[in-house]
Amino acid sequence: MKDITYYIYHIPGKKIGVTTNLKSRVEDQQGYGPGEYEILARRYDISEAAKYEALYQRMYGYPVDIVPYDKLNCNKNKLNMNINVTEQTTTFPCPVNKLKGQLMDNLGMTWHTDHGTFTINEYSIKWIMKNVKTSMFNKQRSYVYNKAFSRFYDNHQTHDYPSNGHVTRTGGLAPTGMKEQSYECCDENNPCTCKPQFSNKTNKYLEPSQFDLIRTWANDRGLYDGGDPKTQALKLVEEVGETCRAILKEDREEVIDGIGDCVVVLTNLAELVGVPIEICIEAAYDEIKDRTGKMENGTYKKD
């Protein structure tokens, strides 16, 4: 299996961007050290990463890139290295003498094994090239032992890269932004739970949105790791039904509760299908904003 991790990063007051290698892109190329930038989200699909980048650029008040990240020429022909993972080994689709180039082309690639989650970076490449073996079944393939690779991770700082401490070996980042931001203390005795968002327009930090809080709550309870969009869709139908019953009974408190429950379920459903609810709302508004029509018997009918 193959997972390339796309990090949506934020340099407060400067920019929001996407990269597969934070150390190379943000630290080495742009000159920002740990603590000077923050991770807003990570995605495994380049199109989703481009959507998240544009979403956060709008949320934080930055200009949205004219050419989306997934449409850049340098990203159109990303090399796909189709590795094969078993309980014992990770097998690469090339001989040893060509493996280093393949690994360098796939910096940031992440895959999961029974012994841990591994990422290709400058440190893991050195270990792989030192320990790789030629397949006895196919001279054009090479492999490493997962258990030994995992031991190397556990005994070195390899898993701190490419995020340089922002993400653990097993994947410490939530699917959404607020949880990944660096933490600061309000004072010595009362640490804040999270750092609020930064607005480039006002040059001030903003409180996390209700959507951010919902996603953090759901992620902490494992809903995004083990959740199913079909189950959430059925849950939405249930909540809509309860809201309708509350309206018929003219129970204001239950109506408020029902509408809120629908929003929570919709937020989680959007996340499970890989599109933030903010993007869904924006798409819906773009479709209706210029629509004309008239009211008939309590219902708006479009022209």
Side-chain angles (χ1 to χ4, degrees):
M1 63 183 298
K2 182 182 190 301
D3 285 328
I4 297 178
T5 304
Y6 297 94
Y7 297 94
I8 294 87
Y9 65 90
H10 178 212
I11 303 172
K14 299 294 183 180
K15 66 175 293 187
I16 286 175
V18 181
T19 184
T20 59
N21 191 325
L22 288 163
K23 185 178 185 300
S24 174
R25 177 62 176 161
V26 182
E27 297 185 15
D28 295 344
Q29 295 181 26
Q30 301 185 53
Y32 294 95
E36 293 184 293
Y37 65 92
E38 54 197 0
I39 302 169
L40 299 178
R42 70 170 182 176
R43 308 309 295 173
Y44 297 108
D45 180 87
I46 191 171
S47 297
E48 290 183 23
K51 291 178 181 178
Y52 267 63
E53 179 188 34
L55 167 67
Y56 280 113
Q57 285 172 340
R58 285 190 290 268
M59 290 174 61
Y60 283 54
Y62 294 102
V64 177
D65 292 343
I66 297 176
V67 180
Y69 179 77
D70 58 338
K71 303 301 181 184
L72 294 172
N73 289 334
C74 60
N75 292 321
K76 287 183 178 179
N77 297 310
K78 274 285 186 184
L79 179 64
N80 292 320
M81 183 167 63
N82 296 315
I83 64 174
N84 181 57
V85 179
T86 67
E87 180 181 356
Q88 298 294 328
T89 63
T90 292
T91 301
F92 304 102
C94 59
V96 172
N97 64 345
K98 295 183 179 180
L99 179 59
K100 186 173 183 180
Q102 288 267 1
L103 296 173
M104 292 298 294
D105 285 335
N106 285 272
L107 284 172
M109 172 179 162
T110 297
W111 69 97
H112 311 289
T113 75
D114 291 343
H115 298 279
T117 300
F118 305 136
T119 300
I120 295 178
N121 52 56
E122 59 183 290
Y123 295 91
S124 60
I125 288 176
K126 291 179 181 178
W127 185 91
I128 291 172
M129 295 309 302
K130 184 177 179 180
N131 294 275
V132 68
K133 302 179 184 300
T134 298
S135 171
M136 61 182 295
F137 304 106
N138 185 341
K139 300 301 182 183
Q140 298 303 309
R141 298 173 70 84
S142 52
Y143 69 95
V144 293
Y145 287 105
N146 295 331
K147 187 173 183 179
F149 201 6
S150 176
R151 188 179 303 117
F152 171 70
Y153 265 77
D154 290 339
N155 294 329
H156 297 78
Q157 296 299 315
T158 306
H159 53 274
D160 288 342
Y161 294 89
S163 58
N164 213 25
H166 287 277
V167 59
T168 64
R169 177 169 63 92
T170 54
L173 296 183
T176 52
M178 294 306 297
K179 193 172 180 64
E180 286 83 81
Q181 295 184 9
S182 57
Y183 292 168
E184 293 184 343
C185 292
C186 298
D187 57 59
E188 293 182 356
N189 300 316
N190 182 31
C192 299
T193 56
C194 67
K195 182 179 177 180
Q197 298 176 349
F198 183 85
S199 171
N200 193 45
K201 287 183 178 179
T202 62
N203 202 34
K204 295 181 180 179
Y205 281 96
L206 307 174
E207 292 298 322
S209 72
Q210 291 295 323
F211 294 130
D212 292 320
L213 297 176
I214 292 169
R215 285 184 290 242
T216 298
W217 172 88
N219 184 70
D220 288 344
R221 287 157 179 78
L223 193 149
Y224 299 141
D225 291 331
D228 186 334
K230 295 186 291 294
T231 302
Q232 283 297 300
L234 292 174
K235 178 68 173 174
L236 178 61
V237 173
E238 177 186 342
E239 298 296 351
V240 170
E242 292 182 0
T243 304
C244 291
R245 283 192 292 272
I247 291 173
L248 292 174
K249 293 189 298 183
E250 298 183 354
D251 188 332
R252 179 177 174 79
E253 290 187 4
E254 287 298 319
V255 170
I256 294 172
D257 183 67
I259 293 173
D261 287 342
C262 289
V263 172
V264 170
V265 176
L266 280 169
T267 302
N268 293 332
L269 177 59
E271 194 67 23
L272 285 169
V273 300
V275 182
I277 192 169
E278 292 93 338
I279 289 181
C280 298
I281 294 172
E282 182 175 301
Y285 177 72
D286 285 343
E287 185 176 338
I288 68 170
K289 64 182 180 181
D290 298 320
R291 182 177 294 171
T292 59
K294 59 183 177 180
M295 293 294 298
E296 290 184 10
N297 300 320
T299 301
Y300 183 82
K301 292 188 176 183
K302 63 179 180 179
D303 294 333

